[in-house]
Amino acid sequence: MNILVAEDEIIMLKTIELRLKKDGHNVITCQDGREAMRKFEEFLPDLIITDMMMPFLSGLEIISEVKKRGGKKIPIIVLSAMGQENVVLEAFQLGADDYMTKPFSPNELSVRVKRYTPNEASV
Amino acid sequence: MPGLQFSVLLKIDSYTLMRVMLIFIIILGLLFICTLVFFIYKKRINAKIKSWEDQVSLVVSTAVFNLDEEFNEIISKNANKLKNHRFRQYLINEIILARKSLSGSASENIKMLYENLGLNNDSFKKLHNKKWHIKAKGVQELAIMEQTKYVKQIFRLTNNKSELVRNESQCALVSFYGFSGLRFLGVTTYTLSEWQQIQLLNKLHDVKPRNFDIIKKWLQSPNESVVNFSLRLATFYNRFDVYPDVMDCLSNTSLQVKLNTLNYLKRIPREDTAGKLVDDYSYENKSYKLAIINALNDIGNEEQIAFLLKQLHHSDNDIKLAAAKSLSHLHPLGIEFLKTHLFAHEDPWKTIFLQIENEHMI
Amino acid sequence: MTWQRIILDLFSYGILVYSIVLLTCYILIGIYSTAEIRKYLRDNSSADFKVLAASTHLPGISILAPAYNEAANIVENVRSMLSIHYNTLELIIINDGSKDDSLQKLIAAYDLYKVNIFINEQIPAKKVKGIYKSRNAVYNKLIVVDKENGGKSDALNVGINVAKYGYFVCVDVDCILEQDALLKMMKPFLEETKVRVIASGGVIRIANDCTIENGKLVEVNLPKKFLPRVQVIEYIRAFLLGRMAWSRLNGLLLISGAFGAFDKEIVMRCGGYNVKTVGEDMELIARMRRYMEEHKLPYKVTFIPDPLCWTEAPDTYKILGRQRNRWTRGTIETLRIHKIMFFNPRYRLLGCVSYPYWFFFEFLAPIIEFIGIVGFLIFSFCGIIDWQSFLILLGCILLFGFLYSLFAIFMEVVTYNQYKKKNDVFKLVLTALLEPFLFHPFVVWSAIKGNIDYIRKKNAWGEMTRLGLGSGNKADAKTNVINHLEMETAPRDQSKFV
């Protein structure tokens, strides 16, 4: 599966990348919102994992942009340090499919990603 | 400069002026060189850090997933760099970022990495640095990496004369021991700034309190900021058992204490709380009066309707609005009551009531 | 000794003393600002603003953004402001009777509908035509107020009446704010334990030629044109050096209207913005400080040096001239309204240092310079100029001005270093060299015109025709350089009303 990961902290980006690659996914990484949108258009990933607070475009903006640009069916997992109710609600209202609060466990992320993997989901 | 035009009339020695000019030129030259040096230095540092980025993130991510082979390989490859002071600091910074974002086994692995590379010693050394901001940074690093063995040294710093060191040390204790870490509140002589209180509350976010009774002592602290913080804690943890002690704070003369007390009472009221608030309404401060009326919205009952009806005619429009809002909640007729009111067709009540109706619709 | 001689001597010595005091002030500003910036940077070196971004414990802030004929970019700018990291926030856009379709654009873009809201008009202001909120929950922080035209001050007063939180931040709607701007802005208010912080200002940076996408600053570039570029140096000098030094002394008399945070309660008690002046931002701070001094309340006005707010600077002499003309009139008006403070010990530092500084070195400087030039021309016609000492003195003054600019550039490189490209430093230094010849004379001339206009009571609003951020609109630069005027660089705190 092609997964787009948007996260501004390179260390977290690499950690997530490593974990997902271990599961056999193809990972596209980007460090800011603008790059994320560019790579989204370029690669049309099967899944998006995004941080909330990033330079140029926030996670919320990415969700609404992706949904606007015809990515309605692409699942989005939000990975954010903001666990406040209103932020979470906002993310889901905009069309996020899952929300994980930092600090998070990469293993848990891997399991959650599995739910969106086509052959696993059909099992 | 306007002065010059008349210089003909002043007996200024042009030799002195030449010297002044020369000094200016020398300083200019030096400053220019300094600027360039700094500019290039910063560029170099950034380039260097950029070049470390990949290595460091590899070190950290392989450590997170216990990929021992890859990890050992990369460590031996970077053995030299690990002796570099700046590289180590960069590594610490990245490890801290990772630690903040990760939980579970990943987080534990990060901590182990930090200890195995002896980075805790780097952080600990900072505690003895004379510069307060470096001291504070050291405390922060040890706190995030849960280095509880340094707690003694850190506890001593909770009453340090530098505010930043103090704040970081207090946060560190809370990171180590959760609620019990707050025991410095009993001894601190400095004022806890609002900013620090918020930081501490943030740290306590998912921490369960133990021995909460100690708060009763803090509520009577001579340090007003400790009282305020304790009130916030009691509210934050929904502690109904300290209700009587909190109630005593209502007679405090400080506005901030009163407002924090009100926040608690709003959240954890008893049957007679609303009545007691009305009794305290005479305290002369608008924001306090408003806070009482707003609190009645949540915790009031029909007994306060007469009081609120009176406030509906208070000279201040904000109070009118707040009273009308609370009335629309408490009155048996609910929002319909507003329509029956004598002044429902007169301003400002007309617009006030319209707003409330509008808000009800949403 | 003739009487002419005595008068001339008095005059020239007076001006010499004036110059020396002015130079001393700049040296002190340099020292104070360095200390203050260092303290600030150390204090915040380990602060984690990200963690606090969603904190529910932080006090609420209302952003007030008055808009007049801003249709070109308003939707983008609002979107950018809505994405600022802060939990308890409301964004109040005040449409000050725009003649364009600003309001319609906002209604369409954010799905707004008219709501009934009671406005407690504590500060008298023009009539509100309607208040709009969004049906879309994502935009629940947005409030749009449509009102009759009444000018910027009036719009801000309406905003204050509508605002529900205890602090408000006023911004120009066309400013680009960094996402953590509010967190950093609030910190001084919450950190201070002994005195009440009544207002806090932020740095304004110049956005000309920077890359802006979706209302966000993507890449910082040095402006290509000379005029905005010279203003980059001017702003660094004024904000990074001037304001920081005054902040250390707690003597700030101005927080620019483009980006400042205020304690609403104090503003309300002072009666809000003055609608009768073109320098409403300075006047408000002066009035708030005066209020605190008169009521003997301990207080502080703070300033933070982070580059948090980016705006477009005028890039033609025509618009620049109008802007400076307006600033001059604003300064004069404020100083006149509060003339009671002049060397009045009752107002302590404010009356004995801040106010006189503004009077002598902001208000009087261009006038004295102008008189000096006129005098110089007369004397050179009469042939009584000792050219050698004149040129050496001129050289000294010019060198000092250049030194001060260079110091500002140095501080910028050491601290925030926003202009990272290879030749940027050289370009800035070169610009600083040219400033006294190509820029400063024009600024003095505009200030003189401002004085004349003030005397003529020409209080017309100098509307600044904005080019529209992010668009490559080109306007012809008119070179009205009056280069026959020879003057020193008086690196004044020119960024007053930016």
Side-chain angles (χ1 to χ4, degrees):
Chain A
M1 199 162 60
N2 280 323
I3 304 177
L4 180 79
V5 183
E7 159 73 60
D8 61 336
E9 284 165 11
I10 184 138
I11 200 97
M12 290 322 298
L13 193 61
K14 284 278 145 113
T15 308
I16 298 167
E17 186 186 4
L18 195 68
R19 185 67 191 87
L20 294 176
K21 273 191 174 159
K22 236 171 71 176
D23 293 343
H25 298 295
N26 183 23
V27 182
I28 308 149
T29 59
C30 38
Q31 281 195 64
D32 64 63
R34 214 161 54 111
E35 204 187 336
M37 282 321 293
R38 232 182 7 238
K39 292 209 167 152
F40 163 75
E41 305 250 288
E42 193 183 334
F43 296 101
L44 281 175
D46 306 309
L47 173 80
I48 297 172
I49 298 172
T50 177
D51 187 11
M52 268 296 192
M53 286 181 277
M54 274 187 300
F56 313 138
L57 277 180
S58 73
L60 291 178
E61 284 167 295
I62 287 179
I63 301 170
S64 59
E65 277 296 304
V66 165
K67 298 286 159 184
K68 217 193 285 169
R69 296 192 197 175
K72 282 219 165 64
K73 283 185 193 132
I74 301 175
I76 300 177
I77 301 177
V78 180
L79 196 55
S80 165
M82 296 197 276
Q84 275 66 21
E85 192 189 9
N86 57 342
V87 185
V88 180
L89 289 182
E90 214 172 318
F92 277 111
Q93 255 169 6
L94 280 171
D97 297 83
D98 203 347
Y99 197 106
M100 281 179 79
T101 320
K102 285 180 190 169
F104 74 104
S105 145
N107 295 332
E108 187 187 334
L109 177 69
S110 149
V111 178
R112 290 195 191 217
V113 166
K114 270 198 188 120
R115 292 195 301 176
Y116 301 100
T117 315
N119 49 350
E120 303 256 351
S122 57
V123 175
Chain B
M1 173 57 52
L4 3 141
Q5 286 79 38
F6 309 97
S7 59
V8 58
L9 306 164
L10 298 167
K11 297 278 175 284
I12 297 175
D13 181 5
S14 39
Y15 183 67
T16 323
L17 274 175
M18 287 283 253
R19 271 201 293 202
V20 171
M21 221 160 131
L22 199 70
I23 293 170
F24 277 170
I25 290 175
I26 293 168
I27 301 175
L28 260 173
L30 287 177
L31 196 58
F32 184 66
I33 292 167
C34 286
T35 312
L36 274 187
V37 166
F38 254 99
F39 187 73
I40 295 164
Y41 172 77
K42 277 205 160 176
K43 254 193 139 93
R44 287 251 171 100
I45 293 284
N46 283 339
K48 210 160 209 178
I49 285 178
K50 197 90 201 147
S51 76
W52 291 339
E53 225 169 44
D54 283 337
Q55 297 297 314
V56 166
S57 47
L58 260 180
V59 170
V60 176
S61 50
T62 48
V64 165
F65 300 117
N66 282 326
L67 304 171
D68 291 336
E69 251 171 65
E70 285 97 326
F71 177 75
N72 290 334
E73 191 187 320
I74 187 140
I75 285 294
S76 56
K77 222 169 83 187
N78 288 299
N80 268 333
K81 280 192 200 128
L82 275 168
K83 286 177 195 141
N84 180 336
H85 157 77
R86 202 180 289 280
F87 181 80
R88 287 180 82 86
Q89 186 53 49
Y90 177 63
L91 187 58
I92 293 179
N93 292 346
E94 293 297 297
I95 283 179
I96 278 177
L97 279 182
R99 168 94 178 168
K100 275 185 192 165
S101 300
L102 293 171
S103 66
S105 62
S107 179
E108 282 308 303
N109 289 342
I110 292 274
K111 186 179 162 188
M112 262 160 60
L113 170 71
Y114 176 77
E115 288 167 357
N116 288 342
L117 292 177
L119 298 170
N120 48 349
N121 290 325
D122 292 44
S123 302
F124 181 64
K125 268 186 210 143
K126 291 188 188 134
L127 297 195
H128 301 294
N129 199 301
K130 275 187 193 126
K131 289 182 182 149
W132 50 272
H133 68 287
I134 293 181
K135 208 177 256 197
K137 181 86 170 69
V139 175
Q140 193 187 49
E141 286 167 7
L142 293 174
I144 293 169
M145 302 315 297
E146 240 182 276
Q147 300 298 305
T148 33
K149 59 179 164 182
Y150 302 113
V151 69
K152 254 192 188 161
Q153 285 91 336
I154 292 177
F155 187 81
R156 252 182 259 143
L157 295 175
T158 55
N159 220 15
N160 192 280
K161 67 174 190 293
S162 154
E163 188 181 356
L164 193 65
V165 174
R166 216 157 61 218
N167 287 354
E168 288 299 342
S169 313
Q170 294 170 354
C171 285
L173 288 175
V174 173
S175 308
F176 290 163
Y177 302 117
F179 188 81
S180 322
L182 287 171
R183 66 191 164 112
F184 65 85
L185 285 176
V187 286
T188 188
T189 46
Y190 291 96
T191 306
L192 294 178
S193 72
E194 196 78 357
W195 183 260
Q196 174 66 357
Q197 293 186 29
I198 291 167
Q199 297 235 67
L200 288 172
L201 283 175
N202 251 12
K203 286 249 181 301
L204 287 164
H205 213 269
D206 40 8
V207 173
K208 284 203 175 65
R210 273 207 246 140
N211 301 328
F212 202 80
D213 273 357
I214 192 169
I215 207 171
K216 291 179 181 165
K217 215 177 83 196
W218 299 338
L219 281 171
Q220 288 161 12
S221 167
N223 185 339
E224 193 188 304
S225 65
V226 170
V227 179
N228 274 318
F229 185 61
S230 311
L231 286 166
R232 285 177 146 177
L233 280 175
T235 317
F236 179 66
Y237 283 120
N238 286 314
R239 297 301 294 223
F240 58 89
D241 51 324
V242 291
Y243 181 89
D245 308 83
V246 172
M247 207 60 198
D248 288 341
C249 292
L250 206 59
S251 54
N252 198 304
T253 48
S254 150
L255 173 67
Q256 200 54 49
V257 172
K258 283 174 102 71
L259 285 172
N260 280 324
T261 311
L262 211 55
N263 274 336
Y264 171 90
L265 294 173
K266 205 163 93 180
R267 190 104 155 243
I268 306 130
R270 289 193 181 170
E271 233 168 80
D272 60 340
T273 309
K276 291 239 167 83
L277 290 186
V278 172
D279 294 341
D280 204 42
Y281 189 73
S282 56
Y283 184 81
E284 274 314 318
N285 180 288
K286 184 181 154 184
S287 35
Y288 187 63
K289 285 187 193 297
L290 273 176
I292 288 184
I293 298 177
N294 287 332
L296 290 181
N297 191 29
D298 299 336
I299 63 169
N301 52 47
E302 292 192 9
E303 281 168 33
Q304 283 87 46
I305 288 179
F307 163 76
L308 287 171
L309 279 172
K310 210 172 120 201
Q311 299 316 312
L312 206 50
H313 298 277
H314 194 281
S315 58
D316 191 305
N317 284 335
D318 282 335
I319 290 185
K320 286 192 192 101
L321 174 65
K325 259 188 207 175
S326 295
L327 272 171
S328 72
H329 260 249
L330 301 182
H331 204 277
L333 291 175
I335 187 91
E336 293 303 311
F337 146 77
L338 296 176
K339 285 181 189 150
T340 66
H341 193 266
L342 204 57
F343 294 118
H345 301 289
E346 269 175 59
D347 264 327
W349 293 276
K350 194 173 146 192
T351 2
I352 290 178
F353 295 168
L354 265 175
Q355 172 183 344
I356 294 169
E357 276 174 42
N358 202 77
E359 281 170 3
H360 270 255
M361 280 190 291
I362 298 166
Chain C
M1 206 182 248
T2 63
W3 61 272
Q4 286 116 318
R5 183 64 196 242
I6 295 170
I7 289 176
L8 276 177
D9 262 7
L10 270 178
F11 198 48
S12 44
Y13 274 109
I15 287 179
L16 188 77
V17 168
Y18 175 87
S19 313
I20 291 171
V21 175
L22 184 61
L23 297 201
T24 318
C25 281
Y26 285 135
I27 293 170
L28 287 177
I29 285 176
I31 296 169
Y32 267 82
S33 61
T34 311
E36 185 70 2
I37 292 172
R38 199 168 73 158
K39 182 173 177 294
Y40 179 85
L41 289 177
R42 287 183 168 180
D43 230 345
N44 289 280
S45 57
S46 49
D48 186 356
F49 289 100
K50 241 183 176 176
V51 174
L52 289 169
S55 171
T56 43
H57 302 293
L58 285 167
I61 303 181
S62 311
I63 300 183
L64 308 183
Y68 179 67
N69 292 348
E70 302 271 1
N73 289 307
I74 195 155
V75 173
E76 280 298 299
N77 290 329
V78 167
R79 198 182 301 276
S80 146
M81 279 195 256
L82 282 171
S83 69
I84 284 173
H85 301 326
Y86 202 89
N87 193 52
T88 330
L89 184 71
E90 60 175 357
L91 171 61
I92 303 176
I93 306 289
I94 307 123
N95 179 32
D96 190 27
S98 293
K99 292 189 192 81
D100 61 7
D101 57 346
S102 303
L103 183 67
Q104 286 67 34
K105 277 193 167 164
L106 285 173
I107 290 175
Y110 296 104
D111 194 11
L112 301 178
Y113 69 104
K114 206 169 177 173
V115 291
N116 291 313
I117 280 190
F118 167 72
I119 303 165
N120 185 13
E121 205 183 289
Q122 281 172 297
I123 304 169
K126 286 263 165 67
K127 203 171 161 247
V128 171
K129 288 193 276 190
I131 293 185
Y132 299 82
K133 280 190 169 182
S134 176
R135 284 191 191 88
N136 190 339
V138 174
Y139 306 125
N140 59 9
K141 290 175 176 172
L142 179 65
I143 296 172
V144 175
V145 180
D146 186 32
K147 67 178 276 286
E148 286 171 5
N149 182 274
K152 192 177 173 188
S153 307
D154 191 65
L156 285 167
N157 285 338
V158 167
I160 296 170
N161 285 335
V162 173
K164 71 172 175 213
Y165 295 124
Y167 295 97
F168 71 86
V169 169
C170 59
V171 293
D172 282 353
V173 82
D174 55 357
C175 279
I176 309 285
L177 291 188
E178 297 284 336
Q179 290 181 306
D180 51 3
L182 292 190
L183 288 164
K184 290 187 173 162
M185 204 66 163
M186 274 323 278
K187 199 173 172 224
F189 286 96
L190 302 172
E191 253 180 346
E192 194 53 59
T193 50
K194 291 184 191 74
V195 299
R196 184 164 183 168
V197 176
I198 56 170
S200 180
V203 168
I204 316 285
R205 289 294 190 116
I206 288 171
N208 298 43
D209 288 317
C210 292
T211 319
I212 286 151
E213 276 176 29
N214 303 311
K216 271 173 207 144
L217 185 72
V218 176
E219 193 189 20
V220 178
N221 293 317
L222 199 59
K224 289 190 193 83
K225 284 190 185 173
F226 173 73
L227 261 193
R229 194 181 283 176
V230 79
Q231 288 174 81
V232 166
I233 298 177
E234 196 188 17
Y235 280 35
I236 294 174
R237 248 174 8 217
F239 286 106
L240 215 50
L241 302 186
R243 301 276 167 86
M244 282 312 276
W246 281 111
S247 156
R248 188 173 183 85
L249 284 171
N250 191 17
L252 267 179
L253 206 52
L254 168 65
I255 283 176
S256 90
F259 186 44
F262 299 85
D263 182 326
K264 194 175 84 177
E265 193 191 336
I266 303 291
V267 174
M268 284 228 172
R269 280 199 239 155
C270 295
Y273 283 93
N274 183 338
V275 291
K276 291 202 182 92
T277 171
V278 290
E280 75 289 335
D281 44 5
M282 181 180 175
E283 202 282 328
L284 179 67
I285 295 291
R287 193 146 32 89
M288 284 169 81
R289 295 194 73 126
R290 199 174 143 185
Y291 174 89
M292 299 304 276
E293 294 283 352
E294 282 169 3
H295 290 79
K296 301 229 181 309
L297 301 165
Y299 74 100
K300 202 171 164 185
V301 176
T302 61
F303 191 81
I304 53 169
D306 297 284
L308 297 176
C309 176
W310 296 75
T311 192
E312 191 204 345
D315 69 344
T316 65
Y317 279 100
K318 195 176 159 198
I319 301 167
L320 179 76
R322 266 193 269 166
Q323 183 197 42
R324 298 306 156 104
N325 182 313
R326 198 176 67 240
W327 289 2
T328 307
R329 281 180 284 130
T331 308
I332 304 174
E333 280 165 3
T334 307
L335 290 177
R336 242 191 105 168
I337 294 169
H338 301 286
K339 59 175 180 273
I340 188 174
M341 298 196 292
F342 191 60
F343 280 121
N344 188 338
R346 189 179 160 205
Y347 296 97
R348 303 181 299 154
L349 184 98
L350 178 65
C352 299
V353 184
S354 292
Y355 187 102
Y357 178 86
W358 272 83
F359 182 82
F360 288 113
F361 302 127
E362 297 288 340
F363 161 64
L364 275 187
I367 297 175
I368 290 180
E369 257 183 79
F370 189 73
I371 293 171
I373 279 133
V374 173
F376 163 71
L377 289 176
I378 293 169
F379 290 137
S380 56
F381 268 121
C382 305
I384 49 164
I385 294 243
D386 171 4
W387 284 97
Q388 195 199 352
S389 45
F390 166 73
L391 285 176
I392 293 173
L393 235 166
L394 181 72
C396 278
I397 301 296
L398 284 175
L399 274 176
F400 183 83
F402 181 54
L403 188 64
Y404 192 69
S405 292
L406 193 60
F407 183 66
I409 297 170
F410 173 72
M411 286 303 283
E412 159 69 9
V413 168
V414 173
T415 56
Y416 296 103
N417 200 24
Q418 294 285 333
Y419 303 101
K420 295 190 186 71
K421 291 203 190 67
K422 218 168 129 197
N423 290 321
D424 283 356
V425 170
F426 291 107
K427 283 180 189 162
L428 278 173
V429 171
L430 187 71
T431 313
L433 261 176
L434 291 174
E435 181 188 351
F437 309 104
L438 299 179
F439 180 76
H440 186 72
F442 180 74
V443 168
V444 173
W445 178 239
S446 305
I448 295 295
K449 282 212 288 205
N451 275 284
I452 296 168
D453 286 355
Y454 175 76
I455 293 162
R456 283 189 191 154
K457 293 276 173 204
K458 244 177 75 180
N459 272 334
W461 271 72
E463 260 177 58
M464 199 167 125
T465 14
R466 296 277 181 175
L467 290 183
L469 286 168
S471 66
N473 202 343
K474 278 178 195 155
D476 294 312
K478 277 185 191 160
T479 39
N480 303 352
V481 195
I482 307 137
N483 41 18
H484 63 276
L485 300 179
E486 280 183 58
M487 275 164 289
E488 50 99 38
T489 55
R492 308 187 311 144
D493 191 340
Q494 276 286 9
S495 313
K496 291 174 287 207
F497 299 91
V498 185

